[in-house]
Amino acid sequence: MKRIEIINGPNLNLLGRREPGVYGSRSFDAYYDELKQHYPDVEFGYFQSNCEGELIDRLHAVGFEADGIILNAGAYTHTSIALHDAIRAITTPVIEVHISNVHQREEFRHHSCISAACRGVICGFGLNSYRLAVESLLMDHE
Ligand code: DQA
């Protein structure tokens, strides 16, 4: 049994309602249910917060036991050295994900403070970026 934690950062609680042209019209809850059904052998955990410190606390809490962490840090991706340090401080590999292709968007989204600390980066595949991240973690364990 693999344990995979999904952590979503600021404004991602509004998925489905927030800028649907960019992020789609599905709520994360609906997508998460489908994801769990698709991988019955994976034990998923899910956490969302709009607060940087709470994201760091969650990384600390699960980052020595989970087999993988999928992190969409939202806008903190582009600003947070504290998240970079938290990812480096834990032992669980972290996959950075983004729903949108941040490189096709505003220039301030082109830089990530966390990529260098992450195992890899997946962006631009809509909500299926999360599924691709699950696949990459399962492949790491093959
Ligand atoms: C995002 C991209 C970020 O630039 C943005 O601040 C988000 C969502 C994405 O999933 O595409 O909140 O991480």
Side-chain angles (χ1 to χ4, degrees), residues 19-51:
E19 297 185 83
V22 178
Y23 300 111
S25 47
R26 281 193 91 181
S27 71
F28 193 78
D29 283 352
Y31 181 77
Y32 183 51
D33 282 346
E34 196 181 280
L35 197 67
K36 284 188 289 192
Q37 276 170 30
H38 201 88
Y39 296 98
D41 294 337
V42 174
E43 185 191 321
F44 285 102
Y46 176 60
F47 180 80
Q48 190 277 330
S49 176
N50 294 320
C51 304

Side-chain angles (χ1 to χ4, degrees), residues 18-140:
R18 170 196 186 195
E19 297 185 83
V22 178
Y23 300 111
S25 47
R26 281 193 91 181
S27 71
F28 193 78
D29 283 352
Y31 181 77
Y32 183 51
D33 282 346
E34 196 181 280
L35 197 67
K36 284 188 289 192
Q37 276 170 30
H38 201 88
Y39 296 98
D41 294 337
V42 174
E43 185 191 321
F44 285 102
Y46 176 60
F47 180 80
Q48 190 277 330
S49 176
N50 294 320
C51 304
E52 189 176 9
E54 288 183 5
L55 298 172
I56 291 167
D57 286 344
R58 188 65 180 177
L59 287 167
H60 294 176
V62 299
F64 294 90
E65 275 126 43
D67 296 299
I69 296 172
I70 297 170
L71 173 64
N72 186 345
Y76 291 138
T77 304
H78 315 297
T79 62
S80 180
I81 294 167
L83 273 175
H84 173 111
D85 287 348
I87 295 163
R88 281 213 191 280
I90 60 178
T91 53
T92 299
V94 177
I95 312 290
E96 173 185 348
V97 304
H98 301 285
I99 297 162
S100 62
N101 182 344
V102 286
H103 301 289
Q104 288 175 343
R105 301 181 63 196
E106 304 95 322
E107 207 171 322
F108 63 82
R109 295 185 205 278
H110 296 182
H111 176 70
S112 166
C113 292
I114 64 172
S115 295
C118 288
R119 168 83 179 74
V121 182
I122 296 168
C123 81
F125 296 95
L127 283 170
N128 279 324
S129 294
Y130 293 87
R131 182 162 159 196
L132 293 169
V134 172
E135 287 291 333
S136 72
L137 287 166
L138 296 179
M139 278 164 60
D140 268 356

